[in-house]
Amino acid sequence: MACLIPASAMIDRSTDPAPIPPSSQWDDLWHQFAAHRGALVGAILFAIIVLTVFMGPYFWTLDPSYIDIRARNAGPTFAHPFGTDQLGRDTFARMMAGGRVSLSVGIAAMVLGLVIGAAVGVTAGYFRRLDGILMRLTDLFLALPLLPLLLVMVMLFREPLSANFGPEAGIFILIVAAIGLTSWMPTARIVRGDVLALKEREFMLAARSIGTSNVQMILRHILPNVLSPIMVSATLGIANAIITESALSFLGLGFPPDFPTWGRLLFDATDYIQQNPERVIWPGVAISLTVLSVNYLGDGLRDALDPRIRGR
Amino acid sequence: MLTFTSRRLAFAIPTLLFISFVIFMLLELAPGDPMSQLPLTVPPDVRDRMREALGLGEPTHIRFGKWLWQFFVVEPLHMIDAAFGTGFAAEQQRVISWQTRSPVMDIVLQRLPQTLWVVGLSYVVGVLIALPIGIYSAYRQYSLFDQLGTFISMVGFSVPTFFTGILLIVIFSVKLGWFPSIYDTTLVVNSWDSFVQQLRQMVMPVSVLALYNAAQISRFMRASMLDNLHQDYVRTARAKGLTERTVVLVHVLRNSMIPVVTVIALGVPQVFGGAIITEQVFKVNGLGQLLITSIQANDLPMVQTLTFIFALLIVVFNVIADVLYGLLDPRIRYD
Amino acid sequence: MLDQPIARIRNLRVQFCTTGGLAGAVEDLSFDLHAGETLCIVGESGSGKSVTSLALMRLIEFSGAEITDGRILFDRKSGAEVDLARAGSDLMRQIRGNEIGMIFQEPMTALNPVFTIGRQLSEGLRHHMGLSRKEAWARAIEALRDVRLPEPERRMVQFPHQLSGGMRQRVVIAMALACAPRLLIADEPTTALDVTTQAEILALMDRLKRESGTAVMFITHDMAVVAQIADRVVVMEQGRKVEEGTVAEIFEAPQHPYTKTLLAAVPRLGDMRGKPLPERIDVAERSSHPPVPVRGTDAPLLRVQNLTTRFPIRGGFLRRIVSNVHAVEDVSFTLMRGRTLSLVGESGCGKSSVGRSILRLVDPLSGSVDLDGTDVMGLDAHNLREARRHMQMVFQDPFASLDPQMPVKDQVAEPLRNFCTHRGDALWDRVATLFDRVDLPRSFMARFPHELSGGQRQRIAIARALALNPKLIVADEAVSALDVSVQAQVLNLMLELQADLGLSYLFISHDMAVVERMSHDVGVMYLGRIVELGPRDAVFETPAHPYTKALLSAVPIADPRKRATRSPTFAPIPSPIHPVGYRPEPSRYDEVAPGHFVLHHDIPLS
Amino acid sequence: ERGSDGHVNIIYWQAPSMMNPYLSGGSKENEAASLVIEPLGRFDQDGALVPFLAEEIPTLENGGVAEDLTSITWTLKQGLVWSDGSPVTSQDVKFTADYCMHPEGGCAKFAKFDGISSIDILDERSIKITFEQPTPYPYSAFIGAQTPIIQKAQFENCLGERAPECTEANFNPIGTGPFRVTDFRPNDVILMEANPQYRDPEKPAFATLTLKGGGDATAAGRAVMETGEFDYAWNLLLAPEVLGRMAEGGKGQPVAAFGTMIERIELNLTNPDPSLPPETRSTRAEPHPFLSDKSVRQALSMAIDRDLLVEIGFGQAGRPACNLVPAPAIYASDNTDCLVQDIEAARALLEDAGWTDTNGNGIRDKDGVELEILFQSSTNAVRQDFQALIKQWWSEIGVATELRNIDASVFFGGDPSSPDTLQKFYADVQMYVNTFDGTDPQAYLAMYRCGNEPRPETQWQGANINRYCDPRYDELLSELAAASDLKERGSIAKTLNDMLTKDSYVVVPLVDRGRVSAHSNTLGGVLLNPWDSELWNAADWYRIAD
Ligand SMILES: Nc1ncnc2c1ncn2[C@@H]1O[C@H](COP(=O)(O)OP(=O)(O)OP(=O)(O)O)[C@@H](O)[C@H]1O
Ligand SMILES: Nc1ncnc2c1ncn2[C@@H]1O[C@H](COP(=O)(O)OP(=O)(O)OP(=O)(O)O)[C@@H](O)[C@H]1O
Ligand SMILES: [Mg+2]
Ligand SMILES: [Mg+2]
Ligand code: NI
């Protein structure tokens, strides 16, 4: 495909009035994606994790918060394949419940952080006038102490959010917002740098010369071209969000205490690292696997989306 | 270059004032109270008296103004006094921590050594590990080494330090007894033995943090190397008959370092901010621990000053990163 | 010419490892290289010229290719003959840069941006000759002097970006020649340069070859250059050699049909003598159409008056403007409907800036631009966008001016979408028509820019410019990046469109032969001013300004019998940068003939 | 012999921030300071008063306390000297009181000096404290780790507003205790050496001492019991199996002692509904929709298995509790009927009171009010386990629970603008621990006085957290304040305790928490004291040779 077209192809006037098949692009994308071995492995792994976590509870019906005090601190058994915790709750069920929360928070917070970061980065890079002020804003956010910021957010918004969305959804929104609002800065910096370089490219001038407005310019030309750094930020963003969520829960700023998440399971288990090492291993492995699969997925997507690499 | 730097620094001053104001208001808004650590047996009226004594009764803007004056005038004067034995700041009150009732800056200076030793060294070690890994991963892209490097750095990034730290302690302190689990900040290195002891107590925190830092930086290094390895000038260098070593480690590396050096420079403020969790796990009691205990105790002057110093470093290192960029890349000219 | 060849290439085959298996880039290629001889390899883009040269250096492995067959027998300095196709990497390192030197296609990127010229030059010397730092430095200065780089001592401590393109190319040549190689490979060393610089470099290489007896393998697609310097010529097409012979044989009695097409597509300066109007190039296959001159009208479309554009250079603590680049200085001209006005001149003389200023892609300092009754300078942002319907631009670099992430059909559709002129199926119909119009198969619509050849990309750019039926197209070096056969196609296309649609072109180029063929009127620019303006035949046949004369004499002629014997001048162009208070004189012209203007006052000339 | 046992290492996972207990109310500061500065008398491990700087404890019998209970006279030991060599005089004692009672000093121990009308120096060694009114229990000022004597000469210039400027004095007070500070690093570490002027020439056995701060309880326990790096670790609030596992490390052992710390659930008698306006939310103006029903409160208490809570949360460091005042014996009620969990009876109780599940959602309701409880507590691993367990038990009797945990610095912060404080009580029930100083519960029980509840008019200050209000309770409180006979005081206190617990169930005690600390096997002389500083007898500590 990418090989050079012989000169004859340019002369032969093909009169095939083939209408443009718009769907072939997606086929092509998939074809490209599937060719990337790492991406495929990552995608399958991620799919397995997501499926287990979301569909698992239909097959493993134990309630993650059911306390079976006689089975405390049990190692893996037939009844509890992943063992139990200090109150006798089933770790497997808790892992799945925790995974649902962690994955949702991770992805939602990452998306939020990415959207803010990309928006700030693109705006700063594209509109010179706003550059100074937006970058100083980024500095400000980098400098803000996280904990007091979160405390203020929780204080101001927990009740209104719980009232409007119910306690769990309310907290979910709050946590996602908190993590998203405090993690967009590196993305913004990187994107801004790329946009600045992009702006100097001639096709931007060309696009302007055909009357493309600023908004169209950003949507059509800037965003697709800064996708690659955004992908990297996305990968790191998920890991960061999952870990930050655990820190928040630990500080009492996160989900209610009976609400398991991977980060929290890991944190709670560290005290038992000697008695029940498997309790640390499960969440640790789950987080690492998720991040790893997302990383490979991101690599593959980036390659698939970059037309220059396609067909290699 | 010089004018660029000084211009950037001059513009940093209003920025910093604004940042300090925002931080102040944020802390002001945050719930919690410096009296939260008192036992419940202390009656409310006593708590109120204590608050008054801390100056909490005064309006916010006056307290902010006071802080500004103390931080920007009294503290520097005091430093001059300490250095030259003069007496400019004699009667002026310095920024006083609510928790310890002592000058904030003294405590900060006291905490600096261990933070620099542990966090700073781990950053250096992290960078030193990350660079070769990043270089080699890129040079042999998709090789086994590269895959392994990716794997390890992703795991390093995704496993929280509170976990790796405790794991190391359980293995090396509890089971093997090789390293102490508690960092001794009072250790004075003045002999071979104390030096060895210092090394022993630094091994674990430094390696935990270094792994985390290395994971991130090696990713940047790899990406940057990949960008440069296929540039035309690399072919020119090869056409001169240079060895692969020279081509990669001189020509490519120098170009790849440009973005990475700025990334590294931008990470330095974090070193001074301390690594809160790792410091906690290994009881290093550096600046990170200071910040977190002050936040927990709602010691506003301390938190305000620490975060402001942190903001200052961020702004300064932003400028440094830009200047470095200009120094390393001759194509960039600021004026 | 010595009898013993320095290198003998036998049945060379180079293949790329792609996902689809091995793909051949060079097949069964054989030729010899003799000392003191210049062998030119010609052929269209993608025919395997660069791959061959990289194979000789064994650098091809680093691009993911492999020499799968054949031998490259090289006669070393010591007299021993080695087969480079099988040599070990240590041996290759001794040979590279030492016995075989190479000049690369892109002078802009071939140098490492972060090292000084001196460092990059002396590196190879120290490596191969075992010289000390000091000695190598001295030798490097010597080498720079050999390539006639002015002020070599100062250049040594400069960085590549501080040098102009021509200077950089000279540095690359000096680097290749530093160790006095027996064989010099030059891969399109002058393609990116303007004519004057090109002439200098060709003269330089010629002299070096004569003085040191080096064998030169010169790769180019420019037949005029070939005619000027080659002793022998190898013609390649799709990885194979189709013809080989001395220059005279090739130019006078080409055998292979491909060679014939190639030669027919070359515009020659002087071809248009006696024809006042532009005409199609008569490419062999299309000879059934007789060339029709394009007439145009006398109704003015674009009137530019006293256009001045300066780029501020800021500095100091408050970023105040300390000086200005006077890119365009008091330029006035009128372009008629359906006609072409060409702007020619050296690199950096302000041609592109004129084009961009007219379209307000950069904001001019003063002057007026009147496009068909609209005062372009007075438009606000909204009306300017509207006005862009009527004026379009084709950019200098077809690759750079297309978004790499967007399928080309969307890029052609973009102007239509911007102005909501077509929707849904009508939009795609219009895009398809545009593809037909520029002679591109519709099956290319879903491709991305990198999947097209340079010529095809340029057509996309033209299709995009045509989409809104503009009245004016500014074609900024629209063909200079293309090889001759493609260039001829694009030029013909443009002429065809002009004849059919009555377009007006502001044609910007430094290639005098192309300009001669394309334009009704010509403006010669120098240091931001138009020094001579008039009908094309008048300017070309009776040049009045000394700069125009110098420019015309530097043009290489695609005829081996008319070789230039001029020795290069190497004088730097005066700087267009002036401090803030500087007030240049207004341009005043003498009318030497009706419609033929020449700048009156003296400007410093090299 | 003094200094013969070398060095001792102590770890406090919360680091002391200064050495002046008057400026900081935290127990970590009190305890660190207790190594250096001493009071006139202390409580021993059994809660009995023992003289320290005083010659003896003044009582009615020995004439130290006036017959009319309005004054008390203390006499210093003979020949006491400060660590700088100057003599300790009654001037210093009086100065200490002046220092803390200065209106602008913001003294954290002000309450200890409450009710003192004057302090008179009788001679070099004796001093008389006069109270504003008859005070049956006069052992408040200068008793225990909270109110040690400081040196007048050192703190003379630190009165009132100037208190915070005396950094050197606050970090390195001159004292009479067994040790003196050589290096103080706030919130990090304190280095000390034996006080050369200590009154007992044989003591302390250790020449130097390090008090390290920071980390967490797990790490502190590990350092003493598993790695043996430290000799003593304070306040190891850890799950029993974790503690047990550490003890297996063989380097040290945990020790426990019980005081008056009661982990309890407080029930909100007022309505915390978020839809109420802030002026009336969680105030007496709005009674709670179902917790004002005694049978609901009782059922909630009955559903809890306190033994299991102890087993899971505290092990040997806790015991099930039904009383708010568990000790000393004369004040402890014999109320034990809550000790047995009885889910069935709890269900029946609710059923009888009309709380039935009418809509079949598994939650009992009455008149459209569902038994849904918001249960908040501070963030702490053990408390979260308790919350989970209690939630499950309550669900078994048809009560739904939503859990919430709040960062301790906010929960206990008392910031009137935060919705999450203990005092605001914007929840139905909350769990925390409270205790009282010394051995007399009067002030503690007085917290539940009517009118003492936090509310908007008082900026949400006040100690009557569950908004209990019973005129009879208030009457009994005044009786207690007037009673001087110990027996009589005891019986009144028991009645008050029962009114809050078994009679009304507004306070649901869960666990009587002991203090747990750990010391290494080679550290001798440790007597864990729940009534005073844990380091109260550090002078007697010694190294056990192995
Ligand atoms: N890295 C590569 N991977 C795959 N194919 C390649 C690569 N480099 C070149 N080719 C292919 O090899 C063939 C010959 O390319 P080459 O660069 O030698 O052309 P050329 O004659 O030098 O053209 P130009 O005049 O544009 O420089 C082309 O078909 C090209 O597509
Ligand atoms: N954006 C800009 N900022 C500053 N200087 C500029 C800018 N664009 C062009 N110049 C300067 O203006 C002068 C004219 O540039 P211009 O691009 O118009 O030359 P040109 O004749 O098109 O040359 P070429 O043949 O190389 O394209 C040059 O000296 C150039 O360096
Ligand atoms: Mg080529
Ligand atoms: Mg140009
Ligand atoms: Ni292909």
Side-chain angles (χ1 to χ4, degrees), chain D residues 61 97 302 327 441 472:
Chain D
E61 289 79 54
M302 286 165 83
R472 214 167 60 82

Side-chain angles (χ1 to χ4, degrees), chain C residues 352 396 476-477:
Chain C
S352 300
Q396 194 155 0
D476 187 358
E477 313 259 15

Side-chain angles (χ1 to χ4, degrees), chain A residues 67 72-73 86 250 258, chain D residues 241 281 379 385 391-392:
Chain A
I67 297 174
R72 303 173 52 193
N73 292 325
Q86 76 278 10
F250 166 65
D258 52 341
Chain D
E241 55 264 57
R281 182 179 178 191
T379 304
D385 284 353
K391 176 178 176 169
Q392 173 142 330

Side-chain angles (χ1 to χ4, degrees), chain D residues 456-523:
Chain D
E457 303 86 74
T458 60
Q459 304 305 312
W460 296 98
Q461 299 298 324
N464 185 357
I465 302 297
N466 45 21
R467 284 81 161 136
Y468 176 77
C469 188
D470 186 340
R472 214 167 60 82
Y473 187 88
D474 293 0
E475 261 170 49
L476 271 175
L477 274 178
S478 355
E479 275 181 41
L480 179 64
S484 64
D485 178 42
L486 263 190
K487 247 209 173 109
E488 190 193 346
R489 291 179 69 81
S491 80
I492 300 174
K494 284 178 188 170
T495 319
L496 289 170
N497 169 68
D498 291 353
M499 286 176 78
L500 290 171
T501 55
K502 79 171 176 193
D503 297 348
S504 67
Y505 292 98
V506 291
V507 179
V508 178
L510 299 174
V511 178
D512 177 9
R513 272 174 53 181
R515 282 198 194 201
V516 195
S517 294
H519 64 84
S520 75
N521 291 338
T522 61
L523 184 66

Side-chain angles (χ1 to χ4, degrees), chain C residues 49-50 105 187-188 219:
Chain C
K49 306 184 294 289
S50 299
Q105 199 158 355
D187 188 355
E188 317 234 17
I219 296 170

Side-chain angles (χ1 to χ4, degrees), chain A residues 3-4, chain C residues 16 18 25 44-51 63 105 188 221:
Chain A
C3 307
L4 262 160
Chain C
F16 279 95
T18 61
E44 72 198 1
S45 184
S47 57
K49 306 184 294 289
S50 299
V51 169
S63 326
Q105 199 158 355
E188 317 234 17
H221 58 238

Side-chain angles (χ1 to χ4, degrees), chain B residues 7 232 236 240 251 255 330 334, chain C residues 109-110 112 123 128 317 319:
Chain B
R7 200 169 52 85
D232 282 354
T236 314
K240 277 188 262 184
H251 284 261
N255 281 278
Y334 290 107
Chain C
T109 53
N112 192 331
E123 196 175 36
H128 289 297
F317 188 67
R319 308 284 289 150

